[in-house]
Amino acid sequence: MKHLLLLLSFTLSSHFLVNAEPPKAASKIKFTTVEHDFGNQPQGKPVSWEFDFINESTSDPLLLEDVKASCGCTTPTWTKEPVMPKKSGSIKAQYNMAREGAFRKSITVTTKDGETITLYISGNAVAQEQGVNKAEGTMLGGSTE
C-alpha cells in the first residue's frame, strides 16, 4: 500500500511538472505612452510623434528587431543600436495626412527577445477650403481686413 501511494504521488507530481508553463521573462521595454491623438490637423501637412521607451533590464541590452506601420501612409524611424540597461530610445511615427478624415494607425514593435508592443497614432485630417484652415478656423495667406 505504501508503494502504491508513493507511485501515485510520483505520477501526479510528474504530470504537473511536465504540463506546467515556463515562467515568463520580465518585459525589458517600457514606453512612456503607447497612444497619441493629434486631434484636428490640416490635411496635406505631415504630422509626427515620438514614442519614448526605456530598457527596464538591469543587465541586458535591448535591440529592436522590427518596427512596422499598419500602412504606407505612416513611416516609422527608430533607435537602431542596442539600448543599454536603464537607458532610453525612441520610435518616431510620421503620418502623411494625405486623406481627409479621421485616422487611427498602428505601429508594431518587435524586440530581439520576441516582445511585441503595438503603438497607435490617431487624429483627424481637416481639408483647407477657400483660404480657410478648418482645423484652426483661421484665414490663410493674407490679412482679414
Side-chain angles (χ1 to χ4, degrees), residues 23-58:
K24 294 189 178 191
S27 178
K28 281 187 190 179
I29 191 168
K30 171 124 175 145
F31 283 88
T32 54
T33 184
V34 293
E35 189 159 348
H36 179 72
D37 185 352
F38 291 103
N40 290 335
Q41 297 291 324
Q43 179 185 1
K45 187 175 179 181
V47 293
S48 63
W49 181 258
E50 237 174 85
F51 292 95
D52 296 321
F53 65 87
I54 188 166
N55 178 356
E56 293 274 298
S57 171
T58 57

Side-chain angles (χ1 to χ4, degrees), residues 12 17 31 43 51 53 57 62 68 74 80 87 94 100 105 107 110-112 125 128 131 142:
L12 285 174
L17 287 173
F31 283 88
Q43 179 185 1
F51 292 95
F53 65 87
S57 171
L62 170 69
K68 286 187 180 175
T74 305
K80 304 278 198 265
K87 299 296 180 188
Q94 182 172 351
E100 181 180 3
K105 303 298 176 183
I107 300 95
T110 306
T111 69
K112 190 74 170 168
Q128 296 181 21

Side-chain angles (χ1 to χ4, degrees), residues 44-109:
K45 187 175 179 181
V47 293
S48 63
W49 181 258
E50 237 174 85
F51 292 95
D52 296 321
F53 65 87
I54 188 166
N55 178 356
E56 293 274 298
S57 171
T58 57
S59 60
D60 299 321
L62 170 69
L63 183 61
L64 301 182
E65 185 170 84
D66 196 21
V67 179
K68 286 187 180 175
S70 58
C71 72
C73 57
T74 305
T75 306
T77 54
W78 62 95
T79 303
K80 304 278 198 265
E81 59 277 348
V83 177
M84 300 313 288
K86 303 301 178 193
K87 299 296 180 188
S88 61
S90 65
I91 297 171
K92 181 179 179 181
Q94 182 172 351
Y95 179 66
N96 68 15
M97 298 291 279
R99 297 178 69 169
E100 181 180 3
F103 66 90
R104 179 173 165 88
K105 303 298 176 183
S106 63
I107 300 95
T108 304
V109 180

Side-chain angles (χ1 to χ4, degrees), residues 6-20:
L6 186 60
L7 181 62
L8 181 61
S9 175
F10 177 75
T11 304
L12 285 174
S13 298
S14 298
H15 173 74
F16 288 119
L17 287 173
V18 169
N19 292 320

